[in-house]
Coordinates of all heavy atoms in Angstrom, one line a residue:
M1 N -32.6 5.7 -36.8 CA -31.0 5.8 -36.8 C -30.4 5.4 -38.1 O -30.8 4.3 -38.6 CB -30.5 5.1 -35.6 CG -29.1 5.4 -35.2 SD -28.4 4.3 -34.0 CE -29.1 4.8 -32.5
T2 N -29.6 6.2 -38.6 CA -29.0 5.8 -39.9 C -28.0 4.7 -39.6 O -27.6 4.5 -38.5 CB -28.2 6.9 -40.6 OG1 -27.2 7.3 -39.6 CG2 -29.1 8.2 -40.9
S3 N -27.7 3.8 -40.7 CA -26.8 2.7 -40.4 C -25.4 3.2 -40.0 O -24.6 2.6 -39.2 CB -26.7 1.9 -41.6 OG -26.2 2.6 -42.7
R4 N -25.0 4.4 -40.4 CA -23.7 5.0 -40.0 C -23.8 5.3 -38.5 O -22.8 5.0 -37.8 CB -23.4 6.3 -40.9 CG -22.1 6.8 -40.7 CD -21.5 7.8 -41.7 NE -20.3 8.3 -41.3 CZ -20.0 9.4 -40.6 NH1 -21.0 10.1 -40.2 NH2 -18.8 9.8 -40.3
R5 N -24.9 5.9 -38.2 CA -24.9 6.3 -36.8 C -25.0 5.0 -35.8 O -24.3 5.0 -34.8 CB -26.2 7.2 -36.5 CG -26.1 8.6 -36.6 CD -27.2 9.2 -35.9 NE -27.1 10.7 -36.1 CZ -28.1 11.4 -36.1 NH1 -29.3 10.9 -35.8 NH2 -28.0 12.8 -36.2
R6 N -25.7 4.1 -36.3 CA -25.7 2.8 -35.6 C -24.3 2.3 -35.5 O -23.9 1.8 -34.4 CB -26.7 1.8 -36.2 CG -27.0 0.7 -35.4 CD -28.2 -0.2 -36.1 NE -29.4 0.5 -36.2 CZ -30.2 0.3 -37.2 NH1 -29.9 -0.6 -38.2 NH2 -31.3 1.0 -37.3
F7 N -23.5 2.3 -36.5 CA -22.2 1.7 -36.5 C -21.4 2.4 -35.4 O -20.8 1.9 -34.6 CB -21.5 1.8 -37.9 CG -20.1 1.4 -38.0 CD1 -19.9 0.0 -37.9 CD2 -19.1 2.4 -38.1 CE1 -18.5 -0.5 -38.0 CE2 -17.8 1.8 -38.1 CZ -17.5 0.5 -38.1
I8 N -21.4 3.8 -35.5 CA -20.7 4.7 -34.5 C -21.1 4.4 -33.1 O -20.3 4.3 -32.3 CB -21.0 6.1 -34.9 CG1 -20.2 6.5 -36.3 CG2 -20.4 7.0 -33.7 CD1 -20.5 7.8 -36.7
A9 N -22.4 4.0 -32.9 CA -22.9 3.7 -31.6 C -22.3 2.3 -31.1 O -22.1 2.0 -30.0 CB -24.4 3.7 -31.5
I10 N -22.2 1.4 -32.1 CA -21.8 0.0 -31.7 C -20.2 -0.1 -31.6 O -19.9 -0.9 -30.7 CB -22.3 -1.0 -32.9 CG1 -23.7 -1.1 -32.8 CG2 -21.6 -2.3 -32.7 CD1 -24.4 -1.9 -34.0
V11 N -19.5 0.7 -32.2 CA -18.1 0.6 -32.1 C -17.5 0.6 -30.8 O -16.7 -0.1 -30.3 CB -17.3 1.6 -33.1 CG1 -15.9 1.6 -32.8 CG2 -17.5 1.1 -34.6
P12 N -18.0 1.6 -30.0 CA -17.3 1.7 -28.6 C -17.8 0.5 -27.8 O -17.0 0.0 -26.9 CB -18.1 3.0 -28.0 CG -18.4 3.7 -29.1 CD -18.8 2.8 -30.2
L13 N -18.9 -0.1 -28.0 CA -19.3 -1.4 -27.3 C -18.3 -2.5 -27.6 O -18.0 -3.2 -26.7 CB -20.8 -1.6 -27.7 CG -21.9 -0.7 -27.1 CD1 -23.3 -1.1 -27.6 CD2 -21.8 -0.5 -25.6
L14 N -18.0 -2.7 -28.8 CA -17.3 -3.7 -29.3 C -15.8 -3.5 -28.6 O -15.2 -4.4 -28.2 CB -17.1 -3.8 -30.9 CG -18.4 -4.2 -31.6 CD1 -18.0 -4.1 -33.1 CD2 -18.8 -5.5 -31.2
G15 N -15.4 -2.3 -28.6 CA -14.0 -1.9 -28.0 C -14.1 -2.3 -26.6 O -13.1 -2.8 -26.1
A16 N -15.1 -2.0 -25.9 CA -15.2 -2.2 -24.4 C -15.2 -3.7 -24.2 O -14.6 -4.1 -23.3 CB -16.4 -1.6 -23.9
A17 N -15.9 -4.4 -25.1 CA -16.0 -5.9 -25.0 C -14.5 -6.5 -25.1 O -14.1 -7.4 -24.4 CB -16.9 -6.5 -25.9
A18 N -13.9 -6.0 -26.1 CA -12.6 -6.5 -26.4 C -11.6 -6.2 -25.3 O -10.8 -7.0 -24.8 CB -12.0 -5.9 -27.8
L19 N -11.7 -5.0 -24.8 CA -10.9 -4.6 -23.6 C -11.2 -5.5 -22.4 O -10.3 -5.9 -21.8 CB -11.3 -3.1 -23.3 CG -10.1 -2.3 -22.9 CD1 -8.9 -2.3 -23.8 CD2 -10.5 -0.9 -22.5
A20 N -12.5 -5.7 -22.1 CA -12.8 -6.5 -20.9 C -12.2 -7.8 -21.1 O -11.7 -8.4 -20.1 CB -14.4 -6.5 -20.8
R21 N -12.2 -8.5 -22.3 CA -11.7 -9.8 -22.4 C -10.2 -9.7 -22.3 O -9.7 -10.6 -21.7 CB -12.1 -10.2 -23.9 CG -11.7 -11.7 -24.2 CD -11.9 -11.9 -25.6 NE -10.9 -12.9 -26.2 CZ -11.2 -14.3 -26.1 NH1 -12.3 -14.7 -25.6 NH2 -10.2 -15.1 -26.4
A22 N -9.6 -8.7 -22.9 CA -8.2 -8.6 -22.7 C -7.7 -8.3 -21.4 O -6.6 -8.9 -21.0 CB -7.5 -7.6 -23.7
E23 N -8.4 -7.6 -20.6 CA -8.0 -7.2 -19.3 C -8.5 -8.1 -18.2 O -8.3 -7.7 -17.0 CB -8.3 -5.8 -19.1 CG -7.5 -4.9 -20.0 CD -7.7 -3.4 -19.7 OE1 -8.6 -3.1 -18.9 OE2 -7.0 -2.6 -20.3
A24 N -9.1 -9.2 -18.4 CA -9.6 -10.1 -17.3 C -8.5 -10.4 -16.5 O -7.4 -10.9 -17.0 CB -10.3 -11.3 -17.9
P25 N -8.5 -10.2 -15.2 CA -7.3 -10.5 -14.2 C -7.1 -12.0 -14.1 O -8.2 -12.7 -14.3 CB -7.8 -9.9 -12.9 CG -9.2 -9.8 -13.0 CD -9.6 -9.6 -14.4
L26 N -5.9 -12.4 -14.0 CA -5.6 -13.8 -13.8 C -6.2 -14.3 -12.4 O -6.2 -13.5 -11.5 CB -4.1 -14.1 -13.9 CG -3.5 -13.9 -15.2 CD1 -2.0 -14.0 -15.1 CD2 -4.0 -14.8 -16.3
V27 N -6.5 -15.6 -12.5 CA -7.1 -16.1 -11.2 C -5.9 -16.1 -10.2 O -4.8 -16.5 -10.5 CB -7.6 -17.5 -11.4 CG1 -7.7 -18.3 -10.2 CG2 -8.9 -17.5 -12.3
D28 N -6.1 -15.7 -8.9 CA -5.1 -15.8 -7.9 C -5.1 -17.3 -7.4 O -6.2 -17.7 -6.9 CB -5.4 -14.8 -6.8 CG -4.4 -14.8 -5.7 OD1 -3.7 -15.7 -5.7 OD2 -4.4 -13.9 -4.8
P29 N -4.1 -18.0 -7.5 CA -4.0 -19.4 -6.9 C -4.5 -19.5 -5.4 O -4.8 -20.5 -5.0 CB -2.6 -19.8 -7.1 CG -2.0 -19.0 -8.1 CD -2.8 -17.6 -8.0
K30 N -4.4 -18.2 -4.7 CA -4.9 -18.3 -3.4 C -6.3 -18.0 -3.2 O -6.9 -18.0 -2.1 CB -4.1 -17.3 -2.6 CG -2.6 -17.6 -2.5 CD -1.8 -16.8 -1.4 CE -0.4 -17.0 -1.4 NZ 0.3 -16.1 -2.4
D31 N -6.9 -17.7 -4.3 CA -8.5 -17.4 -4.4 C -9.2 -18.7 -3.7 O -8.8 -19.8 -4.1 CB -8.9 -17.2 -5.8 CG -10.4 -17.0 -6.0 OD1 -11.1 -18.1 -5.9 OD2 -10.8 -15.9 -6.1
P32 N -10.2 -18.5 -2.9 CA -10.8 -19.6 -2.3 C -11.2 -20.7 -3.4 O -11.1 -21.9 -3.1 CB -11.9 -19.1 -1.5 CG -11.6 -17.7 -1.2 CD -10.8 -17.3 -2.4
Q33 N -11.8 -20.3 -4.4 CA -12.3 -21.3 -5.5 C -11.1 -21.9 -6.1 O -11.2 -23.2 -6.4 CB -13.0 -20.5 -6.5 CG -13.4 -21.2 -7.8 CD -14.8 -21.9 -7.6 OE1 -15.2 -22.3 -6.6 NE2 -15.2 -22.3 -8.8
A34 N -10.0 -21.2 -6.2 CA -8.8 -21.9 -6.9 C -8.1 -22.8 -5.9 O -7.8 -24.0 -6.3 CB -7.7 -20.8 -7.2
V35 N -8.2 -22.4 -4.6 CA -7.6 -23.4 -3.6 C -8.5 -24.7 -3.6 O -8.0 -25.9 -3.5 CB -7.5 -22.8 -2.2 CG1 -7.2 -23.8 -1.1 CG2 -6.6 -21.6 -2.2
A36 N -9.9 -24.5 -3.6 CA -10.8 -25.7 -3.5 C -10.6 -26.7 -4.6 O -10.8 -27.8 -4.5 CB -12.2 -25.1 -3.4
L37 N -10.3 -26.1 -5.8 CA -10.2 -26.9 -7.1 C -8.6 -27.2 -7.3 O -8.5 -27.9 -8.4 CB -10.8 -26.2 -8.2 CG -12.3 -26.0 -8.2 CD1 -12.9 -25.2 -9.3 CD2 -12.9 -27.4 -8.1
G38 N -7.8 -26.8 -6.4 CA -6.4 -27.1 -6.8 C -5.8 -26.4 -7.9 O -4.8 -27.0 -8.6
Y39 N -6.2 -25.2 -8.3 CA -5.7 -24.6 -9.5 C -4.3 -24.2 -9.4 O -3.9 -23.7 -8.3 CB -6.6 -23.3 -9.8 CG -6.0 -22.4 -10.9 CD1 -6.0 -22.8 -12.3 CD2 -5.3 -21.3 -10.5 CE1 -5.5 -22.1 -13.3 CE2 -4.6 -20.5 -11.6 CZ -4.7 -20.9 -12.9 OH -4.1 -20.2 -13.9
T40 N -3.6 -24.4 -10.2 CA -2.0 -24.0 -10.3 C -1.9 -23.4 -11.6 O -2.2 -23.8 -12.7 CB -1.1 -25.2 -10.0 OG1 0.2 -24.7 -10.4 CG2 -1.5 -26.4 -11.0
P41 N -1.1 -22.3 -11.6 CA -0.8 -21.6 -12.9 C 0.2 -22.4 -13.8 O 0.4 -22.1 -14.8 CB -0.2 -20.2 -12.5 CG 0.1 -20.3 -11.1 CD -0.7 -21.4 -10.4
D42 N 0.8 -23.4 -13.1 CA 1.8 -24.2 -13.9 C 1.3 -25.7 -13.6 O 1.6 -26.3 -12.6 CB 3.1 -23.9 -13.3 CG 4.2 -24.7 -14.1 OD1 3.8 -25.7 -15.0 OD2 5.5 -24.6 -13.8
A43 N 0.7 -26.3 -14.7 CA 0.2 -27.6 -14.6 C 1.2 -28.7 -14.1 O 0.9 -29.6 -13.3 CB -0.3 -28.2 -15.9
A44 N 2.5 -28.4 -14.5 CA 3.6 -29.4 -14.0 C 3.7 -29.4 -12.4 O 4.2 -30.3 -11.9 CB 4.9 -29.0 -14.7
K45 N 3.2 -28.2 -11.8 CA 3.3 -28.3 -10.4 C 2.0 -28.7 -9.7 O 1.8 -28.4 -8.5 CB 3.7 -26.8 -10.0 CG 5.1 -26.4 -10.5 CD 5.6 -25.2 -9.9 CE 7.0 -24.9 -10.3 NZ 7.1 -23.5 -10.8
A46 N 1.1 -29.4 -10.4 CA -0.1 -29.8 -9.8 C 0.2 -30.8 -8.7 O 1.2 -31.5 -8.8 CB -1.0 -30.5 -10.9
D47 N -0.5 -30.7 -7.7 CA -0.4 -31.6 -6.5 C -0.8 -33.0 -6.9 O -2.0 -33.4 -6.8 CB -1.2 -31.0 -5.3 CG -0.8 -31.8 -4.0 OD1 -0.3 -33.0 -4.1 OD2 -1.1 -31.3 -3.0
K48 N 0.2 -33.8 -7.3 CA -0.2 -35.2 -7.8 C -0.6 -36.1 -6.7 O -1.4 -37.1 -6.9 CB 1.1 -35.7 -8.6 CG 1.4 -35.0 -9.8 CD 2.7 -35.2 -10.4 CE 3.1 -34.2 -11.4 NZ 3.6 -33.0 -10.9
A49 N -0.2 -35.9 -5.5 CA -0.6 -36.7 -4.4 C -2.0 -36.5 -4.1 O -2.8 -37.3 -3.8 CB 0.3 -36.5 -3.0
K50 N -2.4 -35.2 -4.1 CA -3.7 -34.8 -3.8 C -4.8 -35.1 -4.9 O -5.9 -35.3 -4.7 CB -3.8 -33.3 -3.3 CG -5.0 -32.9 -2.7 CD -4.8 -31.4 -2.1 CE -6.2 -30.9 -1.5 NZ -6.1 -29.5 -1.1
Y51 N -4.3 -34.9 -6.1 CA -5.1 -35.1 -7.3 C -4.4 -36.2 -8.2 O -3.8 -35.8 -9.2 CB -5.2 -33.8 -8.0 CG -5.7 -32.6 -7.3 CD1 -4.8 -31.5 -6.8 CD2 -7.1 -32.7 -6.9 CE1 -5.5 -30.6 -5.9 CE2 -7.6 -31.6 -6.1 CZ -6.7 -30.7 -5.6 OH -7.3 -29.6 -4.8
P52 N -4.7 -37.4 -7.7 CA -4.0 -38.6 -8.6 C -4.5 -38.7 -10.0 O -4.0 -39.2 -10.9 CB -4.4 -39.8 -7.8 CG -5.4 -39.4 -6.8 CD -5.3 -38.0 -6.7
K53 N -5.8 -38.0 -10.2 CA -6.3 -38.2 -11.6 C -5.4 -37.2 -12.5 O -5.7 -37.4 -13.8 CB -7.8 -37.7 -11.7 CG -8.1 -36.3 -11.5 CD -9.7 -36.1 -11.9 CE -9.7 -34.6 -12.6 NZ -10.8 -34.4 -13.2
Y54 N -4.6 -36.3 -12.0 CA -3.8 -35.5 -12.9 C -2.9 -36.3 -13.8 O -2.4 -37.2 -13.2 CB -3.0 -34.5 -12.1 CG -1.9 -33.8 -12.9 CD1 -2.4 -32.7 -13.8 CD2 -0.6 -34.3 -13.0 CE1 -1.3 -32.2 -14.6 CE2 0.3 -33.6 -13.8 CZ -0.1 -32.6 -14.7 OH 0.9 -32.0 -15.5
A55 N -2.9 -36.1 -15.0 CA -1.9 -36.9 -15.9 C -1.0 -35.8 -16.6 O -1.6 -34.7 -17.1 CB -2.6 -37.8 -16.9
A56 N 0.2 -36.1 -16.9 CA 1.1 -35.2 -17.6 C 0.5 -34.8 -18.9 O -0.1 -35.6 -19.7 CB 2.5 -35.8 -17.8
G57 N 0.5 -33.5 -19.3 CA 0.0 -33.1 -20.6 C -1.4 -32.4 -20.4 O -1.8 -31.8 -21.3
Q58 N -2.0 -32.6 -19.2 CA -3.3 -31.9 -18.9 C -3.0 -30.5 -18.7 O -2.2 -30.3 -17.7 CB -4.0 -32.5 -17.9 CG -4.6 -34.0 -18.0 CD -5.2 -34.5 -16.8 OE1 -5.4 -33.9 -15.8 NE2 -5.8 -35.7 -17.1
T59 N -3.7 -29.5 -19.3 CA -3.5 -28.0 -19.1 C -4.8 -27.4 -19.3 O -5.6 -28.0 -20.0 CB -2.4 -27.5 -20.0 OG1 -2.9 -27.5 -21.3 CG2 -1.1 -28.1 -19.8
C60 N -5.0 -26.3 -18.7 CA -6.2 -25.4 -19.1 C -6.3 -25.3 -20.7 O -7.5 -25.5 -21.1 CB -6.1 -24.1 -18.5 SG -6.2 -24.1 -16.7
G61 N -5.2 -25.2 -21.4 CA -5.3 -25.0 -22.8 C -5.9 -26.1 -23.6 O -6.4 -25.9 -24.7
N62 N -6.0 -27.3 -23.0 CA -6.6 -28.5 -23.7 C -7.8 -28.9 -23.0 O -8.1 -30.1 -23.0 CB -5.7 -29.5 -24.0 CG -4.8 -30.2 -22.9 OD1 -5.4 -30.2 -21.8 ND2 -3.7 -30.6 -23.0
C63 N -8.3 -28.2 -22.0 CA -9.5 -28.5 -21.1 C -10.7 -28.1 -21.9 O -10.8 -27.0 -22.5 CB -9.4 -27.8 -19.8 SG -11.0 -28.0 -18.9
A64 N -11.8 -28.9 -21.9 CA -13.0 -28.6 -22.6 C -13.7 -27.3 -22.0 O -14.4 -26.6 -22.8 CB -14.0 -29.7 -22.3
L65 N -13.3 -26.9 -20.7 CA -14.0 -25.7 -20.2 C -13.2 -24.4 -20.6 O -13.7 -23.3 -20.4 CB -14.1 -25.7 -18.7 CG -14.9 -27.0 -18.2 CD1 -14.9 -27.0 -16.7 CD2 -16.4 -26.8 -18.7
Y66 N -12.0 -24.5 -21.1 CA -11.3 -23.4 -21.4 C -11.8 -22.5 -22.6 O -12.2 -23.1 -23.6 CB -9.9 -23.8 -21.7 CG -8.8 -22.7 -22.0 CD1 -8.4 -21.9 -21.0 CD2 -8.2 -22.6 -23.3 CE1 -7.4 -20.9 -21.3 CE2 -7.3 -21.5 -23.5 CZ -6.9 -20.6 -22.5 OH -6.0 -19.7 -22.8
Q67 N -11.9 -21.3 -22.4 CA -12.5 -20.5 -23.5 C -11.6 -19.6 -24.2 O -12.0 -18.6 -25.0 CB -13.7 -19.6 -22.9 CG -14.9 -20.4 -22.3 CD -15.9 -19.8 -21.5 OE1 -15.8 -18.7 -21.3 NE2 -17.1 -20.6 -21.5
G68 N -10.3 -19.7 -23.9 CA -9.3 -18.9 -24.7 C -9.1 -19.4 -26.0 O -9.6 -20.5 -26.3
K69 N -8.5 -18.5 -26.9 CA -8.3 -19.0 -28.3 C -6.9 -19.8 -28.2 O -6.0 -19.7 -27.5 CB -8.1 -17.9 -29.2 CG -9.5 -17.2 -29.5 CD -9.4 -16.1 -30.4 CE -8.9 -14.9 -29.8 NZ -8.4 -13.7 -30.6
A70 N -6.8 -20.8 -29.2 CA -5.6 -21.5 -29.4 C -4.5 -20.6 -29.6 O -4.5 -19.6 -30.4 CB -5.7 -22.4 -30.6
G71 N -3.4 -20.7 -28.8 CA -2.2 -19.8 -28.9 C -2.2 -18.7 -28.0 O -1.1 -18.1 -27.7
D72 N -3.3 -18.4 -27.3 CA -3.5 -17.3 -26.2 C -2.7 -17.9 -25.0 O -2.8 -19.0 -24.7 CB -4.8 -16.9 -25.9 CG -5.5 -16.1 -26.9 OD1 -4.8 -15.8 -27.9 OD2 -6.7 -15.8 -26.8
A73 N -2.0 -16.9 -24.3 CA -1.4 -17.4 -23.1 C -2.3 -17.7 -21.9 O -2.1 -18.4 -21.0 CB -0.4 -16.4 -22.7
S74 N -3.5 -17.0 -22.1 CA -4.6 -17.1 -21.0 C -6.0 -17.0 -21.6 O -6.0 -16.5 -22.7 CB -4.4 -16.1 -19.8 OG -4.5 -14.8 -20.4
G75 N -6.9 -17.4 -20.9 CA -8.3 -17.2 -21.4 C -9.3 -17.4 -20.3 O -8.9 -17.9 -19.2
P76 N -10.6 -17.1 -20.5 CA -11.6 -17.2 -19.4 C -11.8 -18.7 -19.2 O -11.7 -19.6 -20.0 CB -12.8 -16.5 -20.1 CG -12.3 -15.7 -21.2 CD -11.1 -16.4 -21.7
C77 N -12.3 -19.0 -18.0 CA -12.8 -20.3 -17.6 C -14.2 -20.1 -16.8 O -14.1 -19.2 -15.9 CB -11.8 -21.0 -16.8 SG -12.6 -22.5 -15.9
P78 N -15.2 -20.7 -17.1 CA -16.5 -20.4 -16.6 C -16.5 -20.8 -15.0 O -17.3 -20.2 -14.3 CB -17.5 -21.4 -17.2 CG -16.7 -22.4 -17.9 CD -15.4 -21.7 -18.3
L79 N -15.5 -21.4 -14.5 CA -15.5 -21.8 -13.1 C -15.0 -20.6 -12.3 O -14.9 -20.5 -11.1 CB -14.5 -23.0 -12.8 CG -15.2 -24.3 -13.5 CD1 -14.3 -25.6 -13.0 CD2 -16.7 -24.6 -13.2
Y80 N -14.3 -19.7 -13.0 CA -13.7 -18.5 -12.3 C -14.3 -17.2 -13.0 O -13.6 -16.6 -13.9 CB -12.2 -18.6 -12.4 CG -11.6 -19.8 -11.8 CD1 -11.4 -20.9 -12.6 CD2 -11.3 -19.9 -10.5 CE1 -10.8 -22.1 -12.1 CE2 -10.8 -21.1 -9.9 CZ -10.6 -22.1 -10.8 OH -10.1 -23.3 -10.2
A81 N -15.5 -16.9 -12.7 CA -16.2 -15.8 -13.5 C -15.4 -14.6 -13.4 O -14.9 -14.1 -12.3 CB -17.6 -15.6 -12.8
G82 N -15.3 -13.9 -14.5 CA -14.6 -12.7 -14.7 C -13.0 -12.7 -14.6 O -12.4 -11.7 -14.6
K83 N -12.5 -14.0 -14.5 CA -11.1 -14.1 -14.3 C -10.6 -14.9 -15.5 O -11.3 -15.6 -16.2 CB -10.7 -14.8 -13.0 CG -11.2 -14.1 -11.8 CD -10.2 -13.1 -11.3 CE -10.7 -12.3 -10.1 NZ -10.9 -12.9 -9.0
A84 N -9.2 -14.9 -15.8 CA -8.6 -15.7 -16.8 C -7.7 -16.7 -16.1 O -7.1 -16.4 -15.1 CB -7.9 -14.8 -17.7
V85 N -7.6 -17.8 -16.8 CA -6.6 -18.9 -16.3 C -5.6 -18.9 -17.2 O -5.7 -18.7 -18.5 CB -7.3 -20.3 -16.0 CG1 -8.3 -20.2 -14.9 CG2 -7.9 -20.8 -17.4
L86 N -4.3 -19.3 -16.9 CA -3.2 -19.4 -17.8 C -3.4 -20.8 -18.6 O -3.9 -21.9 -18.0 CB -1.9 -19.5 -17.1 CG -1.4 -18.2 -16.5 CD1 -0.2 -18.4 -15.7 CD2 -1.2 -17.2 -17.6
A87 N -3.0 -20.7 -20.0 CA -3.2 -21.9 -20.8 C -2.5 -23.0 -20.2 O -2.7 -24.2 -20.5 CB -2.9 -21.5 -22.2
K88 N -1.3 -22.7 -19.5 CA -0.5 -23.7 -19.1 C -0.9 -24.2 -17.6 O -0.1 -24.9 -16.9 CB 1.0 -23.4 -19.1 CG 1.5 -22.2 -18.3 CD 2.9 -21.9 -18.6 CE 3.4 -20.6 -17.9 NZ 3.6 -20.8 -16.4
G89 N -1.9 -23.7 -17.1 CA -2.4 -23.8 -15.7 C -3.2 -25.2 -15.8 O -3.3 -25.9 -16.7
W90 N -3.7 -25.5 -14.7 CA -4.5 -26.7 -14.4 C -5.3 -26.7 -13.1 O -4.9 -26.0 -12.2 CB -3.6 -27.9 -14.3 CG -4.3 -29.3 -14.2 CD1 -4.6 -30.1 -15.2 CD2 -4.6 -30.0 -13.0 NE1 -5.3 -31.3 -14.7 CE2 -5.2 -31.2 -13.3 CE3 -4.4 -29.7 -11.6 CZ2 -5.7 -32.1 -12.3 CZ3 -5.0 -30.6 -10.7 CH2 -5.5 -31.8 -11.0
C91 N -6.4 -27.4 -13.1 CA -7.2 -27.5 -11.9 C -7.9 -28.9 -11.8 O -7.9 -29.5 -13.0 CB -8.1 -26.4 -11.6 SG -9.8 -26.5 -12.1
S92 N -8.4 -29.3 -10.7 CA -8.9 -30.7 -10.6 C -10.3 -30.9 -11.3 O -10.9 -31.9 -11.5 CB -9.1 -31.1 -9.2 OG -10.0 -30.1 -8.6
A93 N -10.9 -29.8 -11.9 CA -12.1 -29.9 -12.8 C -11.7 -30.1 -14.1 O -12.6 -30.1 -15.0 CB -12.9 -28.5 -12.6
W94 N -10.5 -30.3 -14.5 CA -10.0 -30.5 -15.9 C -10.9 -31.6 -16.5 O -11.2 -32.7 -15.9 CB -8.5 -31.0 -16.0 CG -8.0 -31.1 -17.4 CD1 -7.5 -30.0 -18.2 CD2 -8.1 -32.2 -18.2 NE1 -7.1 -30.6 -19.4 CE2 -7.4 -31.8 -19.5 CE3 -8.5 -33.6 -18.0 CZ2 -7.2 -32.8 -20.5 CZ3 -8.3 -34.5 -19.0 CH2 -7.7 -34.1 -20.2
V95 N -11.4 -31.2 -17.8 CA -12.2 -32.3 -18.6 C -11.6 -32.2 -19.9 O -11.3 -31.2 -20.6 CB -13.6 -31.8 -18.8 CG1 -14.5 -32.8 -19.5 CG2 -14.2 -31.6 -17.4
K96 N -11.4 -33.5 -20.4 CA -10.8 -33.7 -21.8 C -11.6 -33.1 -22.9 O -12.8 -33.3 -22.8 CB -10.6 -35.1 -22.0 CG -9.9 -35.5 -23.3 CD -9.7 -37.0 -23.5 CE -9.4 -37.5 -24.8 NZ -8.2 -37.3 -25.4
R97 N -11.0 -32.3 -23.7 CA -11.7 -31.6 -24.8 C -12.1 -32.7 -25.8 O -11.2 -33.5 -26.1 CB -10.8 -30.5 -25.3 CG -11.6 -29.7 -26.5 CD -10.6 -28.6 -27.0 NE -10.5 -27.5 -26.0 CZ -9.6 -26.5 -26.2 NH1 -8.7 -26.7 -27.1 NH2 -9.7 -25.6 -25.3
P98 N -13.4 -32.7 -26.1 CA -13.9 -33.7 -27.0 C -13.2 -33.6 -28.5 O -12.8 -32.6 -28.8 CB -15.4 -33.6 -27.1 CG -15.6 -32.2 -26.6 CD -14.5 -31.8 -25.8
Ligands
SF4_101 FE1 -8.3 -24.9 -16.3 FE2 -10.2 -26.5 -17.1 FE3 -9.7 -26.1 -14.5 FE4 -10.9 -24.1 -16.0 S1 -11.7 -26.2 -15.4 S2 -9.2 -23.9 -14.5 S3 -9.8 -24.5 -17.8 S4 -8.4 -27.0 -16.0

């Protein structure tokens, strides 16, 4: 295969990957996994009585597990396969980014 042909073959794959990333649906807070972990799309509304370890300022965007880019409104989280969490969200599995 010539390098040009190879390039032409790869481009749609890259496009599909970018599309898949951009179009990952947001986690539904009513999803069983989200309920189990206390996920909320708005960290300020985290259930502080149920999750006393929550501290103001903790958000998905500064969680070690968050895979979105800085500045993105949402991004993938490995705890919710195929879904995206909001950068301003939070769940009880929050881990301080090193
Ligand atoms: Fe957000 Fe971190 Fe919980 Fe994933 S593990 S939902 S990034 S707080």
